[in-house]
Amino acid sequence: MSEIDFIKTPVSEIYGSNCFSNALMRERLPKNIYKEIRAVQAGEKELTLEVAEVVAAAMRDWAISKGATHYTHWFQPLTGLTAEKHDSFIAPTGDGRVIMEFSGKELIKGEPDASSFPSGGLRATFEARGYTAWDVTSPAFLKQDKTGTTLCIPTAFISYYGHALDKKVPLLRSMDALNKQALRVLHALGNTSAKRVYTTVGPEQEYFLVDKFYFDQRPDLLLTGRSVFGNVPAKGQEMEDQYFGSIKERVAVFMRELNYELWKVGISAKTQHNEVAPNQFEIAPIFSSTSQAVDANQLVMETIQTVALRHGMQALLHEKPFAGVNGSGKHNNWSMSTDDGINLLEPGENPESNARFLLFTTAVIEAVDRYALLLRSSVATSGNEHRLGANEAPPAIVSVFFGGPLTEIFDNIADGKNSAQSASTGTIQLGVTSLPKLPKDVSDRNRTSPFAFTGNKFEFRMVGSSQSIATPNTYINVAVAQVLKEFADKLEKSGDKNKAIHEIIKESYSKHRRVVFNGNGYSDEWVKEAERRGLPNIKSAPDSLQTLVSTEVVQLFEAHHVLTKEEMESRFHIYLEKYSKQLNIEAGIMIELARKSIFPAVSGYAAELAGDAAALAAISADSKAQEKAAKTIASLAGELEAETVKLEAALAGAREIEDAFAQAKMFNGKVKTAMAAVREKADALEKLVARDAWPFPGYEDLLFRL
Ligand code: ADP
Ligand code: MG
């Protein structure tokens, strides 16, 4: 479905055509109302009902002119997905006709039935009321499909008592917290022009495409997004070259349409082919303010899936759809910017920008070291557990990459060495003290670092491909806000600012430089070295999630008014339950496939071979091979069944546990181990039986045929 001829229509006509952007608001709203909205976006004012009425009318007229019949408050419950509740604009007039209505109240507040979304005990089901409230910082947009056009209003989701029930509320609060502390630091540094500091994010999204024909025959992919069985084809990833020609056109057409669909809603996407694994691709939009980037990324994931289906393909967003080939992540590029356009992580030329850069990057390093466990927990999902610590994604150890030249500069400051002598670039005088001048090119790259500085931003590379980026960004923001707060406290009290800057950097970096690592993050030496440095290495998701209810973290979130203790506890439970649920489904489908598909298929095949061997024995002495193969397969089938029985027992045991943490641990331990044993037998069998005796398409079809 696409009524725009995207080959002929110029991009300029399409871009943002389905987005109620600020530009459109400026065009369609009275000047004073537009000014009000901008002030609300900047956090300077509260939204009033009078202003909302005017905006709602303009939004409605625009949406209806584009064919919309319905509107929905679009929100992000803790499932990690987006949710919608559609209402139509139609209002009966009493004389058999209708008018199209949409009030200011309907724009700013919705009342979905909250009982079906996870709340982690924050809201009893009889008290199912929850509200969605318009998030003015992210633009409304139109969603079009075969059934029509819907106006989608990005909202935050809160309970009747004001508890955060979604991922957006804490994100917005964390942005406010960071804004407040970053502004204090900037003001103490003498900046009087910045009125607001935004965190900016540009997420690079990875995904796989699979032919729908093969996908439909794999219940595991259908139900869990992951193949629980499958052998990596002999030639693995090199085979890509061979298929490149045929992949190219189908995927190129898909990508072009994907871009256009995203451009329509104002998402500046540029797709690119990704060469890491076969049939794996990447899309990266241009960065924006975090709340917009979070919404945009949810839409990107959704759009990838709908557009793929139009082309007879299924997109897989799971972190590890295939064993033995690279998984998918999401690189969360993160920085801080002032409302007047200064990137606070951009190295500068003059003394002020230089000092500012060094101070803000120091704050990030300290935050990553102090809150490494928190950052690690932001990516603790069952899907991502297959990546972290495996040889393809950043390890479970959180470290910062800085590159040679910058590390040298920080080391020199910390060690009190005269930076002019060591940093070849010279120094910048700051009154009595001096800071090193920054080298021109600070952006060397390291693909193995979980938190890499890439010239003017940090790239958090541990995030899983299917995750909402709201949570990782909330945690980064609040951690950095805390360190900036402490810096601001010191700076505001100090007489000699330049001396204070120097001392803060020196003290902070000396204490936290253990988190800086420029070497190969995938190596075994690093694991040992990190342990020596005292850096945590938490491999399992449930263990990692425990951080959320630690005293230190709860205090941090309460101090910055991001989440309360009660809200943190509810999230801890929800994430544990989600982890267990995912593995419960995976184990269940595994048992089903092993028992109902693989076991009968391979037993039948072994019997057939045995029959062949007997028939061959009548005409030739040479029937040993058939007999031997039949025996091997039959006995492996027996082992498969035995492991399946063990998995059933482990699963039954895990299902009975009531305590969420103990249950998640059981899934992480016994259930996963039993699953690996079943898989090992099945994958060995797949290698032994004839292609058409195997009950579903294998990796070769899934990974190489598009
Ligand atoms: P890579 O080499 O990792 O592909 P790119 O330069 O292409 O890096 O950028 C990757 C992502 O980082 C893009 O989405 C880009 O918009 C984003 N990005 C660039 N600058 C910033 C910034 N200041 N803040 C946040 N994201 C940024
Ligand atoms: Mg990148």
Side-chain angles (χ1 to χ4, degrees):
M1 211 278 334
S2 167
E3 70 294 310
I4 293 177
D5 181 348
F6 55 77
I7 310 249
K8 293 202 196 107
T9 319
V11 178
S12 55
E13 264 175 46
I14 287 170
Y15 194 87
S17 60
N18 282 351
C19 174
F20 201 69
S21 60
N22 278 347
L24 205 65
M25 283 204 264
R26 192 171 47 220
E27 212 180 285
R28 289 186 164 245
L29 294 175
K31 231 185 182 147
N32 60 324
I33 300 287
Y34 178 68
K35 252 178 92 181
E36 286 279 323
I37 283 291
R38 293 291 289 167
V40 177
Q41 285 176 341
E44 291 157 10
K45 278 189 172 172
E46 297 263 330
L47 182 65
T48 64
L49 195 57
E50 294 75 64
V51 172
E53 287 299 352
V54 184
V55 180
M59 220 186 243
R60 177 201 59 202
D61 291 347
W62 168 75
I64 290 172
S65 78
K66 295 263 182 184
T69 51
H70 288 68
Y71 70 92
T72 178
H73 277 202
W74 188 76
F75 59 105
Q76 302 177 27
L78 292 166
T79 52
L81 307 169
T82 50
E84 299 170 1
K85 180 186 176 251
H86 293 219
D87 280 305
S88 92
F89 290 123
I90 288 172
T93 52
D95 57 357
R97 292 175 308 125
V98 290
I99 49 166
M100 300 296 253
E101 265 186 7
F102 182 51
S103 68
K105 212 168 145 244
E106 286 165 317
L107 167 65
I108 55 180
K109 190 166 162 190
E111 230 174 304
D113 174 17
S115 59
S116 47
F117 299 105
S119 76
L122 278 181
R123 166 182 36 66
T125 28
F126 61 83
E127 220 310 349
R129 266 196 291 180
Y131 296 108
T132 48
W134 182 30
D135 169 15
V136 275
T137 65
S138 186
F141 58 92
L142 297 177
K143 218 186 232 186
Q144 291 172 310
D145 60 30
K146 284 199 192 105
T147 63
T149 300
T150 303
L151 169 67
C152 298
I153 302 149
T155 52
F157 186 30
I158 40 190
S159 81
Y160 182 70
Y161 298 108
H163 292 304
L165 294 176
D166 70 351
K167 293 182 174 264
K168 201 65 180 287
V169 172
L171 177 78
L172 293 171
R173 290 181 187 156
S174 76
M175 289 175 73
D176 278 343
L178 187 133
N179 164 58
K180 190 172 156 197
Q181 304 306 336
L183 275 183
R184 283 181 64 204
V185 171
L186 282 177
H187 291 165
L189 293 182
N191 177 317
T192 50
S193 59
K195 288 220 247 358
R196 192 163 175 90
V197 172
Y198 294 92
T199 51
T200 52
V201 167
E204 300 164 69
Q205 173 76 46
E206 289 181 332
Y207 60 97
F208 280 88
L209 290 174
V210 170
D211 194 304
K212 188 81 168 57
F213 174 77
Y214 299 114
F215 173 84
D216 284 341
Q217 301 169 60
R218 294 281 312 217
D220 51 349
L221 284 180
L222 191 74
L223 292 178
T224 72
R226 183 168 93 83
S227 58
V228 294
F229 295 116
N231 271 308
V232 190
K235 281 197 86 182
Q237 307 192 348
E238 303 121 68
M239 274 175 88
E240 193 175 6
D241 301 344
Q242 231 172 294
Y243 288 88
F244 196 77
S246 58
I247 285 171
K248 214 177 171 182
E249 192 170 355
R250 187 174 184 189
V251 174
V253 176
F254 153 82
M255 283 180 170
R256 185 192 272 262
E257 193 171 323
L258 174 60
N259 277 342
Y260 274 76
E261 288 298 341
L262 293 172
W263 291 343
K264 278 202 275 184
V265 288
I267 298 173
S268 49
K270 40 177 194 155
T271 38
Q272 46 205 206
H273 186 245
N274 191 331
E275 292 136 57
V276 184
N279 286 0
Q280 189 187 33
F281 309 94
E282 184 190 285
I283 180 168
I286 293 168
F287 72 95
S288 56
S289 126
T290 309
S291 63
Q292 284 183 34
V294 165
D295 287 354
N297 183 250
Q298 294 295 120
L299 266 180
V300 165
M301 291 196 280
E302 204 177 300
T303 312
I304 289 173
Q305 283 170 317
T306 37
V307 176
L309 283 173
R310 287 183 207 156
H311 294 265
M313 299 185 286
Q314 179 71 43
L316 302 177
L317 294 167
H318 192 283
E319 283 74 18
K320 193 73 179 176
F322 306 104
V325 287
N326 271 37
S328 299
K330 187 134 60 184
H331 295 175
N332 189 83
N333 294 275
W334 179 96
S335 189
M336 299 169 271
S337 245
T338 63
D339 58 338
D340 50 0
I342 302 169
N343 178 352
L344 299 177
L345 298 179
E346 179 93 46
E349 279 289 311
N350 59 47
E352 294 81 44
S353 58
N354 196 33
R356 186 181 63 219
F357 166 78
L358 291 170
L359 196 61
F360 277 93
T361 38
T362 305
V364 178
I365 298 172
E366 177 168 337
V368 175
D369 187 36
R370 276 169 61 182
Y371 300 106
L373 287 172
L374 178 65
L375 296 186
R376 165 68 184 92
S377 79
S378 77
V379 297
T381 63
S382 111
N384 222 15
E385 211 169 55
H386 297 281
R387 285 174 73 240
L388 301 179
N391 235 25
E392 66 189 53
I397 309 160
V398 180
S399 66
V400 175
F401 167 81
F402 237 136
L406 273 179
T407 308
E408 191 193 349
I409 284 172
F410 277 104
D411 281 339
N412 286 340
I413 297 176
D415 300 338
K417 280 193 204 150
N418 185 341
S419 38
Q421 282 169 0
S422 46
S424 45
T425 43
T427 60
I428 283 181
Q429 293 303 317
L430 291 171
V432 284
T433 64
S434 64
L435 282 175
K437 217 167 157 179
L438 297 166
K440 280 227 154 48
D441 187 18
V442 288
S443 60
D444 44 340
R445 290 291 166 109
N446 180 323
R447 302 269 169 210
T448 65
S449 174
F451 211 97
F453 184 71
T454 54
N456 58 4
K457 60 187 184 292
F458 282 93
E459 189 172 327
F460 185 35
R461 299 174 70 254
M462 292 169 106
V463 184
S465 51
S466 70
Q467 258 189 280
S468 158
I469 55 169
T471 301
N473 283 299
T474 302
Y475 296 1
I476 296 173
N477 292 347
V478 73
V480 175
Q482 174 61 30
V483 179
L484 288 176
K485 177 190 175 293
E486 292 165 23
F487 284 10
D489 289 346
K490 284 182 193 154
L491 281 170
E492 282 168 1
K493 270 190 230 123
S494 67
D496 184 341
K497 299 285 175 228
N498 293 327
K499 197 161 156 244
I501 294 169
H502 204 277
E503 270 163 15
I504 289 171
I505 297 174
K506 185 172 172 175
E507 194 193 328
S508 168
Y509 189 78
S510 308
K511 213 161 149 192
H512 300 286
R513 65 171 146 193
R514 65 178 192 156
V515 80
V516 174
F517 177 65
N518 294 327
N520 179 5
Y522 296 175
S523 67
D524 294 336
E525 292 83 72
W526 171 230
V527 177
K528 283 184 215 126
E529 164 73 10
E531 197 183 338
R532 211 181 46 73
R533 293 189 191 186
L535 301 177
N537 182 4
I538 312 280
K539 292 206 174 116
S540 96
D543 286 337
S544 170
L545 288 170
Q546 277 190 301
T547 308
L548 297 180
V549 287
S550 67
T551 313
E552 192 195 9
V553 164
V554 168
Q555 274 171 2
L556 172 75
F557 278 77
E558 291 203 318
H560 293 275
H561 309 290
V562 174
L563 288 170
T564 62
K565 182 165 190 261
E566 213 183 346
E567 287 169 329
M568 293 299 279
E569 279 166 359
S570 86
R571 266 151 222 261
F572 174 54
H573 275 94
I574 290 167
Y575 298 149
L576 286 171
E577 273 166 18
K578 197 176 168 202
Y579 177 87
S580 297
K581 265 187 197 153
Q582 177 74 20
L583 278 160
N584 180 39
I585 302 172
E586 286 183 13
I589 192 70
M590 195 165 207
I591 293 168
E592 174 115 356
L593 288 177
R595 181 96 12 93
K596 294 196 178 150
S597 301
I598 302 177
F599 186 77
V602 297
S603 303
Y605 180 70
E608 208 178 287
L609 272 183
D612 288 352
L616 286 171
I619 52 168
S620 134
D622 224 7
S623 62
K624 284 274 178 292
Q626 284 77 4
E627 207 185 308
K628 207 173 143 204
K631 272 190 186 152
T632 311
I633 293 168
S635 82
L636 251 180
E639 288 168 32
L640 173 71
E641 173 56 22
E643 294 300 348
T644 307
V645 170
K646 283 191 208 157
L647 174 57
E648 273 176 326
L651 186 58
R655 281 176 179 166
E656 264 170 29
I657 300 175
E658 284 203 353
D659 177 72
F661 181 69
Q663 185 180 48
K665 284 291 280 182
M666 184 62 89
F667 272 107
N668 174 260
K670 278 209 174 110
V671 175
K672 273 188 111 171
T673 309
M675 285 173 76
V678 172
R679 179 170 191 147
E680 196 191 311
K681 301 298 172 195
D683 289 358
L685 280 160
E686 188 187 355
K687 278 198 193 122
L688 296 176
V689 304
R691 222 175 193 293
D692 48 2
W694 195 246
F696 37 73
Y699 273 21
E700 205 175 303
D701 293 329
L702 295 169
L703 278 168
F704 297 106
R705 293 189 209 283
L706 259 194

